[in-house]
Amino acid sequence: MAARNRRIKSIKIELLTKSREAMLSAVQIFNNPNIQFKSESFIVFSNIAWTYLMHAYYRQNNIEYRYFDQHGQRKRFHKTKRGAYKYWELERCLNDDDCPIDEITKSNLKFLIGLRHEIEHQMTTRIDDYLSARFQSCCLNYNQYIKQLFDTKYAIDKHLSVSLQFSTINEEQADKLREFTDLPKNIATYINDYDDTLTDDLYNDIRYSYRVLYVPKSANRKGQADKVIEFIPANTPEAEGLNKEYVLIKEKEKKKHLPSKIVESIKAKGFAKFGMHQHTLLWKSKDGKNPNNNYGVSVEGAWYWYDNWIKEVEEHCKQNREKYT
């Protein structure tokens, strides 16, 4: 029994060691200015890091994390062609009833898992700027859970500092980031579809996506601006002022909807006779795709509608209730 416990502990330590190294590698690669394969590498390495972390947790708690079929009192374990056991992948670990991870952190990880499926079989163009907030949450969540589930000595925050930047971001660049204009269509569609399934509270939670408001700051005296980042308490007047500015920016980060999804939602509200044809007639009559009207945006040749367009459609249907019900 003692020998078995030592073996469990030994494998757990090895899993934790490799898990930490995988996450540190993910961050170091993403922060390396000489590497262009950033997001793809981060997604793969962070997936491995979290998988090993969960395996270490299940092993520590004597929870079976290998695939098997139950035959009476016996377990028949699934194996590869070479005879190795098949262990749970990350998504299976997250879906288990004994998983200790909170739902918001799970949503962040499941987003990255789905994104990995989209990018692993084809090359992607630049996606780093669009996804860094979710990567940041992934790192912070990992650091929290490795300390919470095991020990603070395993924390990785002491090994990492803020990465230095060679450029600033202007309003024109920010607009491009919000529009998803140069993302591959499959990636843009995946991000929008996934985000549409989330509640506003979950979407805005820092465990799902860690967004930081950067404000260039000049110093009033020497030594005042030695730190590149200054943290301001949330309940201070300075923070309240910044939050007001952030709300103005956030309003530009509009959710995007495909026409088919809009028609589905309108039908669900009782307007059964409102279909794709009626929707097309409506947006043409209102010049809905005119950029000046700000009803939507074209992404890789596909048109996405904003929330304000949905309100226009709903109002139209209410005014013509007899026609569509």
Side-chain angles (χ1 to χ4, degrees):
M1 185 68 176
R4 182 176 181 273
N5 289 337
R6 283 196 298 272
R7 183 170 180 273
I8 289 175
K9 184 177 181 181
S10 174
I11 294 177
K12 182 194 78 172
I13 296 302
E14 185 175 359
L15 284 167
L16 285 175
T17 300
K18 291 186 175 181
S19 172
R20 291 177 75 251
E21 288 184 4
M23 184 55 78
L24 285 168
S25 297
V27 176
Q28 289 167 350
I29 289 173
F30 191 83
N31 287 340
N32 190 331
N34 293 319
I35 294 178
Q36 297 184 27
F37 201 58
K38 295 176 182 290
S39 293
E40 298 86 348
S41 298
F42 181 92
I43 292 168
V44 171
F45 276 102
S46 62
N47 188 289
I48 294 172
W50 275 96
T51 302
Y52 284 9
L53 182 71
M54 296 309 304
H55 286 184
Y57 171 81
Y58 288 136
R59 191 169 193 85
Q60 175 179 262
N61 291 277
N62 295 314
I63 299 169
E64 184 57 72
Y65 58 99
R66 294 173 292 181
Y67 280 104
F68 67 89
D69 294 321
Q70 192 75 43
H71 295 276
Q73 298 297 318
R74 300 184 62 185
K75 294 177 181 177
R76 181 173 295 173
F77 290 95
H78 298 190
K79 294 186 178 182
T80 67
K81 292 180 180 179
R82 301 290 184 269
Y85 288 112
K86 288 186 177 181
Y87 291 91
W88 290 351
E89 71 281 6
L90 180 55
E91 190 162 14
R92 176 64 181 82
C93 291
L94 297 175
N95 290 335
D96 193 73
D97 292 339
D98 292 313
C99 179
I101 309 300
D102 69 85
E103 292 301 320
I104 298 175
T105 300
K106 285 183 183 179
S107 293
N108 172 270
L109 290 173
K110 289 181 178 180
F111 170 83
L112 296 181
I113 292 169
L115 188 62
R116 186 197 65 190
H117 296 330
E118 291 295 328
I119 68 174
E120 63 185 349
H121 298 302
Q122 58 183 309
M123 186 186 74
T124 56
T125 53
R126 73 182 212 114
I127 59 177
D128 304 335
D129 294 333
Y130 297 96
L131 302 172
S132 57
R134 304 185 203 215
F135 294 165
Q136 181 66 72
S137 288
C138 178
C139 294
L140 296 175
N141 295 339
Y142 176 87
N143 192 55
Q144 174 197 333
Y145 273 106
I146 199 169
K147 293 188 292 184
Q148 179 180 317
L149 299 178
F150 298 99
D151 195 292
T152 54
K153 68 182 181 182
Y154 295 115
I156 62 172
D157 50 347
K158 58 189 175 185
H159 299 293
L160 301 171
S161 60
V162 177
S163 59
L164 301 179
Q165 306 296 317
F166 286 100
S167 63
T168 59
I169 187 168
N170 57 36
E171 184 65 20
E172 182 180 356
Q173 290 171 314
D175 286 339
K176 289 181 179 179
L177 289 180
R178 297 183 198 112
E179 294 296 336
F180 287 2
T181 50
D182 58 350
L183 275 180
K185 183 177 179 180
N186 65 311
I187 301 296
T189 301
Y190 169 74
I191 293 173
N192 283 316
D193 288 349
Y194 191 92
D195 287 349
D196 280 346
T197 66
L198 307 177
T199 64
D200 288 341
D201 288 342
L202 194 156
Y203 178 78
N204 290 314
D205 195 292
I206 61 173
R207 288 169 292 177
Y208 177 69
S209 184
Y210 191 89
R211 306 172 185 91
V212 178
L213 179 64
Y214 283 98
V215 180
K217 179 184 177 184
S218 58
N220 295 324
R221 60 179 183 275
K222 291 180 179 179
Q224 189 177 21
D226 288 339
K227 287 187 176 180
V228 120
I229 290 181
E230 180 178 350
F231 291 95
I232 301 175
N235 56 352
T236 61
E238 292 89 346
E240 290 179 5
L242 289 176
N243 281 330
K244 289 178 182 178
E245 294 297 322
Y246 176 66
V247 168
L248 294 177
I249 295 173
K250 185 182 171 187
E251 284 179 351
K252 299 178 184 178
E253 298 176 351
K254 299 174 180 177
K255 285 189 176 181
K256 303 172 182 66
H257 309 274
L258 287 167
S260 58
K261 296 294 183 182
I262 294 176
V263 171
E264 284 180 19
S265 67
I266 295 298
K267 285 179 178 292
K269 292 181 179 180
F271 303 103
K273 295 182 180 179
F274 186 86
M276 289 295 294
H277 177 66
Q278 288 74 23
H279 182 264
T280 301
L281 293 176
L282 179 61
W283 71 252
K284 285 184 175 180
S285 68
K286 291 182 173 290
D287 197 15
K289 292 188 178 181
N290 186 332
N292 294 327
N293 292 328
N294 201 30
Y295 283 136
V297 63
S298 177
V299 180
E300 290 284 325
W303 187 267
Y304 290 85
W305 297 97
Y306 294 145
D307 287 341
N308 60 336
W309 172 251
I310 297 179
K311 292 179 181 178
E312 287 284 338
V313 176
E314 289 178 355
E315 187 62 31
H316 168 78
C317 290
K318 288 176 182 177
Q319 294 175 359
N320 299 271
R321 186 176 298 274
E322 293 184 0
K323 180 180 179 181
Y324 298 124
T325 57

